[in-house]
Amino acid sequence: MRVIAGERKGMPLKAVNGNTTRPTTDKVKESLFNILGPFFDGGTVLDLFAGSGGLGIEALSRGMDKAIFIEKDSKAYQNLKENIEKCRYEDVTEAYRNDATRALKLLIKREIQADLIFLDPPYAKHSYYKMVEDIIANNVVTKDGIIVCEHDNQLVLPDQMATFTKYREEKYGSTIISFYRLEEEGE
């Protein structure tokens, strides 16, 4: 696992051994960021279920200003902190070892907004995708923001979540990535 592009291109990232997390492969990560637009002009990324932080760190490397990471697993959280330090992103990140549902409530209370949100829960935990509606209802995602959901190919996410529409879906083996954005009038 490594940073694919941007200011930290080629930087190796430490992943968790075992079954507790499922890192996004470099191939899928590269494709995902090519779809989003290869580089960003600032903004905040929220990486829920961050694991070792590969997606959020990639977004920082490609131009995001700030990242907020949420990870419950203690081993993954330790790797996340080491990866943030190795990439010298301590000053532009917040990392919390917390359950994503609890953390989201705290972010809502702080009125945090993100331009890009990654939602990649354990595949067996389908109920976590209901968080997208809370994210939208509480304006955690900006009006121009994008929500990216990584999920098992056995799970079909709806075309519409609140006011956000699935505008693209890509399959990579047993993984599907669904992209959501605010439905614009007249679409």
Side-chain angles (χ1 to χ4, degrees), residues 7-141:
E7 67 182 4
R8 301 291 190 268
K9 181 180 180 176
M11 179 80 67
L13 299 174
K14 188 174 181 182
V16 178
N17 294 328
N19 306 357
T20 56
T21 64
R22 177 193 26 74
T24 303
T25 66
D26 287 350
K27 178 183 174 189
V28 172
K29 187 166 45 172
E30 185 170 14
S31 178
L32 184 156
F33 280 95
N34 284 338
I35 291 166
L36 288 172
F39 295 98
F40 302 102
D41 188 19
T44 298
V45 59
L46 171 58
D47 195 349
L48 291 164
F49 310 95
S52 299
L55 293 175
I57 290 171
E58 186 73 32
L60 287 170
S61 181
R62 292 170 181 250
M64 286 293 216
D65 294 322
K66 180 180 180 175
I68 301 170
F69 297 95
I70 309 297
E71 177 52 52
K72 183 179 179 179
D73 181 81
S74 59
K75 289 180 184 174
Y77 181 77
Q78 186 58 43
N79 284 357
L80 167 63
K81 295 292 280 183
E82 288 176 26
N83 286 336
I84 289 169
E85 190 175 318
K86 179 190 266 187
C87 292
R88 298 180 312 279
Y89 282 138
E90 301 96 327
D91 293 344
V92 294
T93 59
E94 295 177 35
Y96 301 101
R97 183 171 172 253
N98 203 341
D99 172 76
T101 305
R102 218 175 284 130
L104 182 58
K105 288 177 185 173
L106 295 170
L107 294 173
I108 290 167
K109 198 173 206 175
R110 287 177 53 201
E111 298 181 1
I112 297 291
Q113 282 197 308
D115 304 284
L116 177 60
I117 298 176
F118 292 115
L119 196 71
D120 184 12
Y123 281 176
K125 305 285 186 181
H126 295 173
S127 62
Y128 279 116
Y129 293 103
K130 290 183 171 62
M131 292 175 69
V132 172
E133 292 178 359
D134 286 341
I135 288 167
I136 295 167
N138 291 286
N139 297 314
V140 177
V141 62

